[in-house]
Amino acid sequence: MDEITMVRELYGRPEPDPAVRERVRARITGERPARRPRRRMTFGLGLVAAATTAVIAGTNLLGGGTTGGPVVIGTAGGTAGGGDGSARTVLLAAAENAEREQPGRYWRLHTTYADTYRVKEGYNVEGNRWESDEWTARSMDDPDHNFDRDLPSRPQTPADEAAWRRAGSPRTWKVISSGRPHTLTTESTAWRSAITSPEQKRSLTEVCTDGAPADSPADPECGPLAELSGQGRVLTDPDHLKELLAQIRARRASVLEGEPELKKEMAARFDMPIIYGFLTQAATPEVRAEAFRLLADTPGVRSIGTVTDRAGRRGIGLAARATRDDGGTVYDQVIILEPGTYRVLGEQKVVVKANGTHRGMAPGTVLSHTVVHQVGWTNDTPAHP
């Protein structure tokens, strides 16, 4: 069973990306939707959104930032439960911290994202780089504000940059993305902005509630994962969160009946990215605390010690092992938390053994990443970085 089929059978309708939301809003307002980049998510919701449209996915450096090397993993094997420093211990402590958060007027999520490609000249390039700054109002009576821009593709490490210069410093690269030819470019765009009024937000909610037909089977606007994502609303009910995740787990267990090893891998491969979404989207302290507890109870999640993200920050790494179906690349899905505060610093896929289109990437190479620059409640006035 291929990855896309697995996603469709498990989840039905994936979470919409920003481009899809624009089309929904355009249907509501009668306006022509503005061009917006597709959000490519790094994790299994990267499976869900990226495999059929997109997650997770989100995750790069800001334009002008330093070009770091591969992720540095502190503890090779890690541990899955109990004891100081274990994944469960870290996540339960994070849950306690989350419960003490004070909601503000807006939930702000400022991220950058990138995928990594192995080009024919024999070096790695970060492409599909995108920066997003989302301000979700706590009240449905306040507008949401979103800012985003495309960032230039670039060699990933100093060694890659040296190889790029030896190849004549090309400004474009032809690669395979999601099984299709794709061109990366060093060009960038100016900031785009969008405001979603209270009336538009309510109408968007009604579109999903009424079960309006999707634009296409691969681009649905509503469904189970759309409900999990909040659709621009603030998640407020921890029990409902658990119920939705339980429904998804039950569907997955049914599809994977008779395949115990695959079922074991899928638990972390799919649950981890979905729960990561709970940790970065607008939600009450109670919901965020519950999300950390759900992750603590997810089989296959282990602590890997200290890691360094693509912005050069050191954090606590929590990982789940997975294998891509498009070539068999084995990788770790990693969530990074700030020591002490347990603030989410981002997430990334890290190569364990490269195959297929990733062949030639060394272990430790970051396949894709999201850097979370700012996340949390604020009373600031929305403005782009």
Side-chain angles (χ1 to χ4, degrees):
M1 180 181 297
D2 65 49
E3 193 169 77
I4 294 178
T5 301
M6 177 73 71
V7 170
R8 287 171 176 164
E9 292 194 14
L10 291 178
Y11 299 116
R13 302 164 67 94
E15 178 191 6
D17 67 6
V20 175
R21 294 187 183 185
E22 286 295 334
R23 290 200 298 277
V24 175
R25 290 168 185 159
R27 289 210 305 263
I28 295 166
T29 63
E31 298 174 354
R32 183 180 181 84
R35 179 195 175 278
R36 294 175 64 84
R38 293 206 175 252
R39 170 178 295 189
R40 299 184 54 82
M41 303 181 70
T42 313
F43 279 169
L45 215 40
L47 284 195
V48 176
T52 56
T53 68
V55 271
I56 177 239
T59 70
N60 350 23
L61 298 176
L62 287 168
T66 59
T67 305
V71 67
V72 178
I73 304 227
T75 306
T79 176
D84 291 343
S86 72
R88 182 172 181 80
T89 299
V90 169
L91 289 164
L92 292 180
E96 291 182 7
N97 263 33
E99 285 181 322
R100 294 193 290 269
E101 294 172 352
Q102 295 297 316
R105 186 179 179 188
Y106 286 95
W107 177 266
R108 185 182 183 186
L109 177 62
H110 177 198
T111 63
T112 50
Y113 174 84
D115 293 313
T116 303
Y117 298 89
R118 187 73 174 176
V119 299
K120 64 180 181 180
E121 291 82 5
Y123 58 91
N124 300 328
V125 174
E126 288 184 346
N128 295 332
R129 300 182 62 232
W130 183 50
E131 182 175 3
S132 171
D133 193 17
E134 303 176 5
W135 299 68
T136 302
R138 183 181 177 191
S139 170
M140 288 292 285
D141 294 326
D142 286 328
D144 294 345
H145 296 255
N146 293 280
F147 308 91
D148 67 77
R149 62 175 176 171
D150 298 328
L151 299 174
S153 298
R154 65 186 184 186
Q156 186 176 55
T157 68
D160 293 322
E161 183 175 357
W164 169 66
R165 293 187 185 283
R166 288 195 297 271
S169 304
R171 313 307 293 177
T172 62
W173 300 267
K174 293 188 181 299
V175 298
I176 300 297
S177 179
S178 300
R180 298 179 180 179
H182 181 63
T183 300
L184 306 179
T185 176
T186 54
E187 295 181 0
S188 59
T189 66
W191 280 100
R192 297 172 290 255
S193 63
I195 298 176
T196 307
S197 70
E199 293 75 21
Q200 289 172 316
K201 292 199 294 183
R202 294 188 183 94
S203 296
L204 179 59
T205 301
E206 291 168 4
V207 167
C208 287
T209 302
D210 294 342
D215 285 347
S216 72
D219 260 354
E221 288 88 1
C222 313
L225 288 177
E227 186 174 2
L228 286 173
S229 76
Q231 284 286 4
R233 301 184 302 273
V234 176
L235 299 180
T236 60
D237 187 349
D239 290 334
H240 188 49
L241 195 69
K242 290 187 288 186
E243 291 169 6
L244 290 170
L245 189 57
Q247 291 171 16
I248 288 177
R249 285 172 169 168
R251 186 180 302 181
R252 177 177 62 229
S254 176
V255 171
L256 298 177
E257 193 63 39
E259 301 184 64
E261 290 304 313
L262 189 55
K263 185 184 296 186
K264 181 179 179 181
E265 178 183 328
M266 288 296 160
R269 184 178 179 182
F270 285 93
D271 288 357
M272 191 176 187
I274 292 171
I275 296 171
Y276 170 80
F278 302 155
L279 299 177
T280 55
Q281 71 186 72
T284 62
E286 294 79 13
V287 169
R288 282 176 38 75
E290 186 59 41
F292 277 116
R293 295 188 181 103
L294 287 171
L295 192 57
D297 292 335
T298 298
V301 177
R302 70 191 193 281
S303 171
I304 57 172
T306 300
V307 303
T308 302
D309 73 4
R310 293 293 294 144
R313 303 171 301 182
R314 295 171 65 82
I316 302 167
L318 304 172
R321 185 64 50 85
T323 303
R324 290 182 63 98
D325 293 335
D326 58 347
T329 293
V330 180
Y331 63 93
D332 275 336
Q333 302 180 147
V334 183
I335 291 176
I336 307 172
L337 303 179
E338 186 175 59
T341 68
Y342 303 105
R343 181 177 74 89
V344 177
L345 296 180
E347 46 85 8
Q348 53 199 15
K349 285 181 180 177
V350 181
V351 171
V352 175
K353 182 179 180 180
N355 286 299
T357 59
H358 303 121
R359 192 176 301 277
M361 291 185 181
T365 300
V366 178
L367 279 174
S368 61
H369 68 274
T370 303
V371 170
V372 177
H373 303 284
Q374 288 186 273
V375 61
W377 290 104
T378 179
N379 289 314
D380 291 345
T381 300
H384 71 75

